[in-house]
Amino acid sequence: MADQYDPKFGLSPKAGIEGPARIKAIYLHPIKSCGPVEVDRALLTKTGFMYDRCFAFATETVNNDNPTASKLRFISQRTKPAMSRIKTELWLPHKYSNSHDPLVQSGGCVVVTFEDPDLPSWSNRVETFFHTWNPFALPQLSFIVPLHITAAQTGDIQAKLKTFGIHHRDAKGLDISGIPSIAAALPRLKKFLGISGDQSLTLFKCTPDTLSRTDKNLAPLKYIGSPALHGYTDQQPININSLSSVHAVSAHLPTENQPLNALRFRANIWITNSPAYEEETWKRYCILQKSGGTEPRASVAPAFSVVCRTSRCTIPNVNPETGTFDADNPPPQKKRGKPQPSTTLVQYRTVEMGNKAALGYLGMHCVPEDWSLKRAEEQEAGLYIEVGDEIEVLERGEHLYGSVSPTLSALIKAAAAKIGKPYLAEEIKYI
C-alpha cells in the first residue's frame, strides 16, 4: 500500500476497465483497534482471517458507590485515538523452530510496540538513536502476547473467562492480563493511552468458545451454509474495500485533508482495477488464484456473500500516523474545523438510510461461504487468499444496511425458538 496515492488507482465510477478486480493488499488487525499487519497471504476461516481481531483491550471504571455496577467495556480509537500508534507484528513458528520453546507451543505471538510515555533518559535516547539513526525518535516499549494460551499457562496466570461490552453486545474472552510480559507493560500502556489510575486495563483473548453469532445484517443460509460467526470484529467476519472508492472520497475532501489514507478504514481486503463504489453492487463473489505464489494452498476459489455496506463511525477521522483526530481548517470566525473525512462522507456518501447513526458509508461487510471451506478441508489444505488474486463477481444486487429491523428479527427468532427452528430468521429474510 506504499503507492496507494498513485492516481492510477483512482478509477471513477464510470471508468471503463479491462479485466477483473484484483487484490492489492491484505491486512490483519490482531488486536482490535490497534495497528494492522500487512501480509502477502492470509488463511480464511469461518470466522474471518486467522489472527484478525483475536484480542481486544477493555477498561473497567470502579464505581465506589455501587461496585456491582462496574462493567468492563472494550476501548477503541473512538475514545483512545493513540491506539492507532500501537504497532503489532506477527511471529509464527517455522519448520526449524524449537518445539520446546513456549512461544512455539503457543503457535507464535503478537509483538506489541508503543512509545515509552515516560521522559527518556539520555542513555535511552542514545540507544534509540543507534537503533533508528533518527535523533528525534522516541524510545519504544515492546511486549509479547502468545497467540494461543496453553493449559499450563492458563493455570499459571489464573486466566478466567470474563464478559465485557463491545458496542451493543456482551462479548466474552480469556483474561490474559496476568501473563508476565503483558502485566509488566500494562501500567505503561495505560499512561500512553491516557487511561486514569482508577481504571483497570485488561487484554482479552478470543477463544473458540467465545465467538459471537452475527445478529443483524444476516447473510442467506442458502449460500453461507451456517450462521455467520466472528470474534472481536464489530459485526461481520470480513471487510473489503476499494482504492478507487477511497480516491473518489479523497477528491471531495478539503485540500488540507488530501490525500486520504485508505488504512483509516481498516479493511481486510483492498482491491484495485475496479471503478469507484463498484463493490457496492456485489452480492456474491469468489477469489481466483492468480497470484503465482509458491506456497501450498487449497485449489478452491473462496466464495463470499456480501451482506451490507459498512456504516462508518468516527474512527476514519483518526490519523494513524499521529494518533489524533483530523479536521479541516476552520473559517476565521471559528476556533475548530469540522471533523474529516466524516463531514465529507456524510455529505457525499449517505447513499442509504439503513443506519441513521452512520457517518456515511464506505466498504462492504462479507461472510465466507461454508462450501468453499469444506472443500478445502476435504483437500487437507488451507484456504488461503493472496495478493494478486482476482475477483469474480457471481451475483449483483441492491444493499440496505439493517434490512431486517432488530425488532422484526427478535420477533422472528422468538417464534422460531418456539417451533424448534432457531435459524428461521435468516431463512425468512430471503423468501
Side-chain angles (χ1 to χ4, degrees):
M1 290 286 274
D3 61 346
Q4 63 164 300
Y5 303 119
D6 193 314
K8 69 181 180 182
F9 297 124
L11 300 178
S12 69
K14 297 182 180 180
I17 60 168
E18 293 184 6
R22 290 187 292 272
I23 295 179
K24 176 169 176 56
I26 302 171
Y27 278 86
L28 309 177
H29 307 79
I31 304 178
K32 185 175 179 65
S33 222
C34 292
V37 178
E38 185 175 6
V39 296
D40 292 330
R41 68 198 310 251
L43 178 64
L44 184 66
T45 72
K46 174 69 177 178
T47 59
F49 285 130
M50 183 75 78
Y51 312 124
D52 186 56
R53 274 90 167 188
C54 51
F55 298 94
F57 283 112
T59 60
E60 181 180 24
T61 302
V62 177
N63 188 329
N64 294 323
D65 296 329
N66 184 10
T68 60
S70 301
K71 183 177 180 180
L72 284 160
R73 288 197 60 82
F74 88 115
I75 57 172
S76 74
Q77 294 177 34
R78 292 170 181 82
T79 57
K80 304 296 179 186
M83 291 182 73
S84 68
R85 294 167 55 209
I86 300 176
K87 300 176 182 177
T88 60
E89 299 174 88
L90 278 172
W91 179 84
L92 303 177
H94 51 77
K95 62 181 180 180
Y96 300 112
S97 297
N98 182 353
S99 61
H100 299 291
D101 187 320
L103 286 180
V104 175
Q105 295 173 357
S106 296
C109 65
V110 180
V111 181
V112 183
T113 304
F114 61 99
E115 290 178 2
D116 190 340
D118 294 328
L119 188 66
S121 64
W122 279 108
S123 61
N124 285 340
R125 284 189 175 275
V126 170
E127 183 180 358
T128 302
F129 173 75
F130 279 112
H131 277 87
T132 65
W133 295 106
N134 179 357
F136 303 104
L138 296 175
Q140 306 282 304
L141 298 174
S142 296
F143 63 97
I144 291 173
V145 179
L147 285 173
H148 302 286
I149 313 302
T150 64
Q153 290 172 326
T154 300
D156 291 341
I157 65 174
Q158 296 182 338
K160 295 180 180 180
L161 287 176
K162 294 182 180 179
T163 300
F164 66 104
I166 296 182
H167 298 305
H168 68 283
R169 66 184 173 95
D170 282 339
K172 290 185 177 181
L174 193 65
D175 180 353
I176 59 171
S177 304
I179 292 177
S181 61
I182 300 173
L186 287 182
R188 307 287 279 277
L189 186 57
K190 281 180 60 176
K191 190 172 183 180
F192 172 75
L193 294 175
I195 296 173
S196 62
D198 64 344
Q199 288 184 300
S200 63
L201 180 61
T202 304
L203 181 60
F204 284 104
K205 169 74 173 73
C206 187
T207 68
D209 295 330
T210 59
L211 296 169
S212 297
R213 177 174 159 177
T214 299
D215 61 359
K216 60 182 177 179
N217 293 307
L218 305 174
L221 289 180
K222 67 178 181 179
Y223 291 135
I224 66 169
S226 59
L229 296 170
H230 61 106
Y232 295 149
T233 55
D234 283 351
Q235 182 187 139
Q236 306 288 351
I238 296 287
N239 190 269
I240 189 170
N241 211 327
S242 165
L243 270 188
S244 291
S245 300
V246 175
H247 276 251
V249 171
S250 185
H252 291 299
L253 288 172
T255 304
E256 63 268 23
N257 298 108
Q258 297 181 14
L260 180 59
N261 186 346
L263 299 188
R264 293 173 181 244
F265 297 98
R266 303 181 65 78
N268 295 117
I269 301 173
W270 285 100
I271 62 169
T272 56
N273 201 45
S274 179
Y277 316 128
E278 175 75 10
E279 67 279 4
E280 295 186 350
T281 69
W282 301 353
K283 296 292 284 187
R284 296 179 64 227
Y285 67 92
C286 65
I287 296 178
L288 307 178
Q289 299 182 13
K290 297 292 184 180
S291 66
T294 58
E295 294 294 323
R297 56 173 167 166
S299 57
V300 182
F304 298 84
S305 286
V306 184
V307 181
C308 63
R309 294 181 179 89
T310 306
S311 59
R312 307 311 318 195
C313 63
T314 59
I315 285 183
N317 296 331
V318 176
N319 185 329
E321 297 177 359
T322 64
T324 57
F325 287 103
D326 276 349
D328 54 25
N329 293 333
Q333 68 275 19
K334 298 286 186 179
K335 292 184 178 181
R336 295 182 180 180
K338 296 178 180 178
Q340 293 292 356
S342 286
T343 300
T344 297
L345 286 168
V346 169
Q347 182 177 358
Y348 293 98
R349 293 298 303 155
T350 304
V351 292
E352 60 161 274
M353 295 302 294
N355 181 3
K356 294 182 179 180
L359 300 178
Y361 296 82
L362 196 70
M364 305 301 291
H365 286 304
C366 311
V367 178
E369 298 184 359
D370 285 357
W371 69 264
S372 53
L373 293 164
K374 290 178 180 178
R375 197 164 296 175
E377 185 179 356
E378 291 168 359
Q379 296 179 13
E380 298 182 349
L383 191 59
Y384 284 92
I385 291 171
E386 297 186 357
V387 171
D389 286 349
E390 296 179 351
I391 306 290
E392 179 182 357
V393 180
L394 303 175
E395 184 180 333
R396 297 178 185 271
E398 298 292 328
H399 285 286
L400 177 64
Y401 187 97
S403 56
V404 173
S405 71
T407 302
L408 177 59
S409 180
L411 289 172
I412 293 173
K413 288 181 180 179
K418 288 184 178 180
I419 64 173
K421 197 172 183 182
Y423 301 154
L424 185 63
E426 288 87 338
E427 295 176 4
I428 286 179
K429 179 185 175 185
Y430 293 93
I431 291 178

